[in-house]
Amino acid sequence: MTRHVKRIGALAACALLLVSCSSKPPKSLVTPLPTVNKPTPQANEPMRGIWLATVSRLDWPPVASVNGRSADQRIAMQKQALIAKLDNLKQLGINTVFFQVKPDSTALWSSKILPWSDMLTGNIGEYPGYDPLQFMLDEAHRRGMKVHAWFNPYRVSTNTKPSTIAALNRTAYQTPSSVYVQHPEWVRISGDRFVLDPGIPEVRDWITKVVTEVVANYPVDGVQFDDYFYAESPGSALNDAQSWRQYGQGFASKADWRRHNTQQLIVQVSRAIKQTKPNVEFGVSPAGVWRNRSFDPAGSDTRGAAAYDESYADTRQWVQQGLLDYIAPQIYWPFSRDAARYDVLTRWWADVVKPTHTRLYIGIAFYKVGEPSRKEPDWTVQGGVPELKKQLDLNDSLPNVNGTILFREDYLNQPQTQQAVNYLRGRWGS
């Protein structure tokens, strides 16, 4: 989710296989599809959401809270910062916060599976003195706002530095210890970070257990996965040759097998959530492009990096099969970006969800507002307000778009976005 530029490159030949273009969704693999109309987050109110990232302390907690503070000072600073953010979001008209509770292989809740996140204290496994997820839920619900627990499913760490390895290894003396220590046979390097191998069935079972722990023990309104499934980068591809040899029999290509692995994770987690608490929503926020039309006639008229071919995530199929309550594609381009036009992709997704009961929320690139860009100059015209207005107007005009989510919270506080923030306050605020 935090990667802002998605590479546009040649797609693997094995990804050229076409999929069904049928618009009729198959029977749900999880629960019967509801017979009611698509509900909205609150009574007849569209989704007005925001992502609040904790990885690398991007949005919260404050970096200053961890540096040289007493425990009491740190806790007070973190709580005060979160309260201030929620007050600001409420004033802005935000009704749902997507709170990153699992930024890597650590937790921002009291877990028996994962160690406490070092984002809170500076040390993996150190008890922060309070439960951040419970605090967020209490404060958000008090303000009439919903909270979706946002998980990065496979990431173990954000880098492979010796200091990171040492910190992970130190958890061997803690309970619980890091998955890096407990199951080194699951860990690979991909995208210059430690990740879990999605091809190992026990890995998917473990992730399902982690999600279920939160759903069972906290009054979250929803669960969301971001777009990091197979998250490779040039020069740092995932070496899953061993699991491919062990589990890949019967698949025409490695790409098909990888998509199967991602599909199995979504099926398992969707089923586990509904069996634990049926009213908790499950959604995914994938890359905005499912497939390009040049590779598949069912794809969008775009030339962007495609989730199907690069992350091995058949996001369109998940919608058609009723596996998700909502999908929130990251459509992070302006109307003028010819390779991936905002309006082209938004209308494409609206058509995909139309015959289904999956709600559609559009993720928009608030982080680009006010930022100079040679390829996307629209973000700086009049402080980005005209582009933002066009995007929100389109979302509001399409009956199958159920709302908007902004990426991400800290950009509301930046000087270059203030014209757009004022515009949002006038449009969404009470």
Side-chain angles (χ1 to χ4, degrees), residues 310-354:
E310 301 216 353
S311 300
Y312 303 95
D314 192 348
T315 52
R316 173 176 172 267
Q317 179 171 278
W318 305 343
V319 171
Q320 293 176 325
Q321 291 180 333
L323 295 171
L324 305 176
D325 293 292
Y326 68 91
I327 194 161
Q330 300 168 34
I331 304 183
Y332 287 172
W333 305 279
F335 274 66
S336 63
R337 189 66 187 269
D338 187 53
R341 285 178 58 104
Y342 182 89
D343 53 332
V344 168
L345 277 166
T346 299
R347 292 179 187 279
W348 184 88
W349 278 106
D351 287 341
V352 168
V353 302
K354 186 175 181 179

Side-chain angles (χ1 to χ4, degrees), residues 30 35 44 51 102 132 193 200 217 240 256 332 357 394 421:
V30 185
T35 56
N44 298 317
W51 280 289
K102 183 184 176 294
R193 49 178 64 94
I200 300 173
N217 294 299
D240 55 354
D256 285 346
Y332 287 172
H357 290 274
L394 180 63
V421 170

Side-chain angles (χ1 to χ4, degrees), residues 150-161:
W150 161 19
F151 294 78
N152 184 294
Y154 291 114
R155 186 162 58 208
V156 174
S157 68
T158 57
N159 59 66
T160 60
K161 296 176 182 176

